[in-house]
Amino acid sequence: MSPPLNGEGLVGWYRIRVRPIDRPGKKRATLWTVADVTRERERHENVFQELQHAIDFLDHAPAGFFSPRPAARCPT
């Protein structure tokens, strides 16, 4: 949601749940709950970015290793 309801930052993330409530002898009601999950989403994004950095590092890591002979000469 933009702008966020708390006035902090540019956007806010909210979890909205809707649940029917049966009331015997009366019309059915609906319970709406709204939770601000902006901080949780920011944490998830940070974890995802760290994972992406690790994946990028491994993607660019060498595929093999060079090991010279004990006399430090390259094999011919």
Side-chain angles (χ1 to χ4, degrees):
M1 178 178 279
S2 179
L5 299 176
N6 65 5
E8 296 177 14
L10 298 175
V11 296
W13 287 88
Y14 300 91
R15 181 175 297 126
I16 300 172
R17 294 182 178 155
V18 181
R19 199 174 71 174
I21 299 177
D22 290 322
R23 301 184 309 168
K26 298 182 180 178
K27 284 182 97 176
R28 186 180 228 178
T30 305
L31 175 66
W32 289 70
T33 56
V34 179
D36 184 352
V37 294
T38 303
R39 301 270 187 249
E40 179 181 334
R41 291 291 297 190
E42 288 172 351
R43 280 193 308 272
H44 286 192
E45 181 64 23
N46 289 339
V47 168
F48 177 77
Q49 288 300 325
E50 288 178 14
L51 180 59
Q52 276 303 125
H53 290 304
I55 290 170
D56 289 344
F57 175 77
L58 292 173
D59 281 347
H60 295 95
F65 298 93
F66 173 72
S67 179
R69 292 183 178 169
R73 291 181 294 141
C74 294
T76 55

